[in-house]
Amino acid sequence: MLVECQHDLKQLLNLFSANVPGFFFQLLRAASGQYKLLLVSDNAEQALGIPICSLSEQAKLALSRVHADDQAALQQSLAYSAQHISPWSLQFRYLHPAGGQRWFEGHATPTQHEEHSLLWHGYINDITPIKLNELALAEYASQHREIVDNILDAIITIDEHGIIETFSKAASRIFGYQAAEVIGENVALLMPEPYSSTHNHYMQNYRQTGEAKIIGKSRETQGLRKDGRLFNMELRIARIQQADRYKFIGMVRDLSERKRTEVLIEKLAFYDPLTQLPNRRLLKQRLTAALQECKLQKGLGALLYIDLDNFKHLNDSLGHGIGDQLLRQVASRLQQSVRQQDTVARLGGDEFIILLLNLSSEQQTAVQQAETVAEKVRVALNTPFTLEQLSYVSSPSIGITLFSDDNNSIDELLQQADLAMYQAKAAGKNQTHLFDVAMQIKASARTQLESELRQAITKQQLQLYFQGLHDQHGHLVGAEVLLRWFHPELGSVSPAVFIPIAEESGLIFEIGSWVIEQACQQLAQWLERAPDLQLKLSINISARQFHQDGFLPQVLRTLERFNKVRQALQFELTESILVSRVEEVVTKMNVLRNYGIAFALDDFGTGYSSLSYLKRLPLALLKIDRSFIDDILHDPNDAAIASTVIALSKALGLDVIAEGVETLAQRNALAELGCYFYQGYYFSKPLPASEFMQLHCPELAH
């Protein structure tokens, strides 16, 4: 009868287990401690890979295939269940005879069977697919955490009420809080005023209206560290929907180092280290702005060129330390002699410039105003200076020139003031002299030159020259396209003369288009002769040309015609292009980049004084201006600027090239700083196409 009952029970178990992914069992632990399967459903054979008859004979056979690392847990869990007569439950690995590893989950309830023996009734489920998914998800989560923890930017998630849910390691490093200190707190904790007080209102308004001003946008703002210090940061926030709720993910980049770099570059590039006055570069920038203002306001300004009389004698007799003391005191007195809107700059040595703005529009009155300031300066500098224990009397020679909207170049104005200063010195020193310029003669000459320039293209007077770009091994990697004007009477006209005229008159668009066309045509010819030629051709694009409404369509038409060369073209832009219409600049650059055009930022460090837009431009290359290279071996400031620009380029993932390299010593100094691309007379002077190829690629010269 017992056998019939067991047979009926097994049939019933088989019916139950036929529709579930596992098997039922009865496990007996005898008084001797041996285990035996009294009853097991038929699908155990497939799950365990052991015949039913063998299982019935000896449960040890199945238990022996439990993974070695899980054996102890299995024995301990069964022992605990037996000791406390409590349910048994365990997940464990099983080595299947057919190969591979399975994950099982077992549940059973023990009862007293006979004296000193226990009987478990239970169920074993194959959870291998579920476990593999769990392990894969755990691995993914681990990798995700590893990635997040190693990102330099902070990643912070908050719920819809602004409560912090996660706080990455970078966030702890940047803000100074450990994750446990801020999780569960309002994110306003990380904000300075007034943002902290208004954040809850902003979140409430977003929940009610859905209006978002910062989500999905990158912006620069300030953060608040745990120690109370403020710092500049870039913040970008994304909204993530999760079922019936949403949260926000914020990425924070600490801009402190970049801001310090910007300040350092500006300080080194635009200010004199001895007197802290603006240097020649910043003076030119401000004078450029002053000339533009004169065009708008039709007013007058003035330059006062100041040279200290007998300064060399002071340096030679008392030493450069005493001379430096005098220069610092002179700088202070000059600043006290002018208005806040005016600029006092040091050009170098004992030469200073005062830029006077907003003078009368009447020339005679403006002259009187400038002479009044000059006399005030002369009196101030004639007052004795105290240099250590020495009372020293100095005097200045001052040259004055007025400027307006007559299209004078900056260099011309400086030359006029310089000449006037030398005339004052020649008159006996400690004098002031006004530059007497024949305005009409100069204007007539310029008008004539502009007229000649308008005919230069049709008369085939313009010609492209090429100067090589070389790597650290001296190999040619590219060339810059340069424009030359050969006039039948005037001879070779300097680009410094005719390019400003072209820009001011609007001829730059026509000339610039011609240059692009001719450069593409020349490159196409070279590539036709040598399809494997690896040569990047750089073309200078002026700011005014780039901003022309017809510039982009004209260039795209040219690129369509010369389709094979566009991947080998690079446009060089100057920093002045960033002064206005930045969004338009970025859009145009991206369109051209999609056509294969690469971009280089030329004369880097001499123009736009902020780097806030640099990261947005699709640049491939920065060019260190030649003004930093000229004295790189002798001027620590120029070397520091070059080093800083090289480091900044590497941080931004950009190549960097130095222009104006004229000696091996300059090239080696740049290589030591990490710059491995060069352009300059050390390698070759600018040459016409045939001579350029004869020098660098003789096989393509004919």
Side-chain angles (χ1 to χ4, degrees), residues 546 552 556 581-594 599 616-618:
F546 193 86
L552 189 59
L556 295 183
R581 300 157 65 179
V582 176
E583 295 298 333
E584 175 191 321
V585 170
V586 173
T587 300
K588 283 185 178 180
M589 291 178 70
N590 282 323
V591 170
L592 290 169
R593 185 180 61 172
N594 292 335
F599 286 96
R616 298 183 55 195
L617 303 180

Side-chain angles (χ1 to χ4, degrees), residues 306-309 326-327 329-335 337 350 352 354 374-385 392-398 430:
I306 303 164
D307 183 89
L308 301 182
D309 299 328
L326 176 62
L327 292 175
Q329 293 185 38
V330 167
S332 176
R333 293 190 186 184
L334 291 178
Q335 288 179 302
S337 301
D350 61 334
F352 297 85
I354 294 178
E375 181 60 19
K376 184 177 180 181
V377 167
R378 198 187 64 79
V379 171
L381 298 188
N382 273 273
T383 302
F385 293 88
Y392 178 79
V393 178
S394 179
S395 66
S397 294
I398 305 174
N430 199 19

Side-chain angles (χ1 to χ4, degrees), residues 469 477 479 516 523 535-541 546 551 555 559 565-574 588-602 617-623 654-655:
L469 312 177
V477 296
I516 295 173
L523 185 55
L535 187 69
K536 202 77 169 179
L537 208 57
S538 293
I539 303 173
N540 289 285
I541 308 295
F546 193 86
F551 170 75
V555 172
L559 295 178
V565 308
R566 61 194 195 191
Q567 295 291 339
L569 291 179
Q570 179 169 268
F571 285 174
E572 293 191 10
L573 309 175
T574 60
K588 283 185 178 180
M589 291 178 70
N590 282 323
V591 170
L592 290 169
R593 185 180 61 172
N594 292 335
Y595 268 73
I597 304 298
F599 286 96
L601 195 59
D602 198 7
L617 303 180
L619 296 172
L621 177 75
L622 294 183
K623 296 189 74 173
L654 304 177
D655 288 330

Side-chain angles (χ1 to χ4, degrees), residues 208-227:
Q208 294 174 351
T209 66
E211 179 184 0
K213 296 180 180 178
I214 61 173
I215 295 175
K217 301 176 182 178
S218 179
R219 67 189 185 107
E220 291 189 12
T221 183
Q222 285 191 316
L224 180 64
R225 303 192 201 274
K226 180 180 179 180
D227 59 11

Side-chain angles (χ1 to χ4, degrees), residues 187-206:
V187 73
L189 175 72
L190 309 177
M191 303 175 185
E193 294 293 350
Y195 309 110
S196 178
S197 299
T198 59
H199 183 259
N200 286 339
H201 175 73
Y202 177 84
M203 295 295 294
Q204 181 181 1
N205 182 67
Y206 177 78

